[in-house]
Amino acid sequence: MNWISFVVIIVVLVCFCYVVKKGFTNSLYMLHRKAYFKYKSEVVSGSKSYERFVRDFCNENIFLVAKSAEQLNEQNRNYNIIQELLSQRQDLVSKYFSSSSFSVEDFRKINKEFNTTHIIPEPIIVQEPKTDIKEKIIVKKNVVGIENPFGCRLKKNSLFY
């Protein structure tokens, strides 16, 4: 083996290590990365609403191509993860996708938060009606000359058996 072959092997190994370290072999990361760039170009730029972006991104990635059932299952799982993330956790998407870059470490963080936290719904505040409205709601007495027009008028002696 000559020194040129040795150098080629070293370069291939270095490239492979770089690709693995950067996460380019992780298909779920690559799907997140694709969504990140799409989000930056469409939502951050203002050309689409967030809801439209989610529908378009999911529709663009719904059809899967795989060589085996195992690959198809993995792609389907990844699609459903990203679809759920985009549609249910806009808080996480805007937190991580609004940054200037999206690294493998960001991918790990967003997935950890997505898998271990829940969005806290905002409380529903119910206000009591104002007193002037309450007074309008109360049925006024003597509307038709009777103290309670909806009360029972039967007397004990007037019942027939």
Side-chain angles (χ1 to χ4, degrees):
M1 175 165 88
N2 61 20
W3 68 274
I4 294 176
S5 300
F6 180 73
V7 171
V8 169
I9 290 171
I10 296 298
V11 169
V12 168
L13 286 174
V14 169
C15 291
F16 178 75
C17 291
Y18 176 80
V19 166
V20 169
K21 185 177 180 185
K22 289 294 183 179
F24 296 126
T25 58
N26 184 329
S27 59
L28 183 58
Y29 168 66
M30 295 307 292
L31 194 56
H32 277 69
R33 191 172 160 86
K34 185 177 179 181
Y36 165 78
F37 285 113
K38 196 92 164 149
Y39 178 88
K40 294 290 269 186
S41 69
E42 294 178 353
V43 177
V44 174
S45 70
S47 64
K48 280 188 184 176
S49 70
Y50 181 79
E51 293 77 16
R52 181 80 257 156
F53 153 74
V54 170
R55 283 192 295 273
D56 287 350
F57 184 82
C58 291
N59 288 332
E60 290 170 6
N61 292 285
I62 196 166
F63 293 108
L64 308 171
V65 178
K67 295 178 182 176
S68 69
E70 192 174 86
Q71 285 180 339
L72 188 59
N73 285 338
E74 180 185 354
Q75 289 177 359
N76 187 47
R77 185 181 123 263
N78 292 344
Y79 170 78
N80 285 307
I81 288 171
I82 195 78
Q83 189 268 339
E84 187 178 354
L85 172 71
L86 294 175
S87 62
Q88 295 181 9
R89 295 302 303 268
Q90 184 177 354
D91 59 320
L92 293 178
V93 173
S94 62
K95 177 181 175 181
Y96 287 97
F97 285 11
S98 295
S99 63
S100 60
S101 65
F102 187 73
S103 66
V104 175
E105 191 57 37
D106 295 327
F107 164 71
R108 289 185 184 119
K109 287 178 186 176
I110 194 173
N111 268 327
K112 182 173 177 139
E113 279 188 61
F114 177 62
N115 291 327
T116 59
T117 63
H118 300 283
I119 193 164
I120 300 171
E122 292 186 25
I124 299 172
I125 301 171
V126 179
Q127 293 181 339
E128 288 288 324
K130 296 180 181 177
T131 55
D132 60 329
I133 295 174
K134 280 184 180 177
E135 292 171 1
K136 292 177 184 176
I137 293 173
I138 296 173
V139 178
K140 296 188 178 185
K141 293 182 178 181
N142 297 324
V143 176
V144 289
I146 304 170
E147 186 173 324
N148 185 357
F150 302 105
C152 181
R153 303 274 178 266
L154 295 174
K155 298 190 179 53
K156 286 184 180 182
N157 299 343
S158 63
L159 293 175
F160 298 101
Y161 292 101

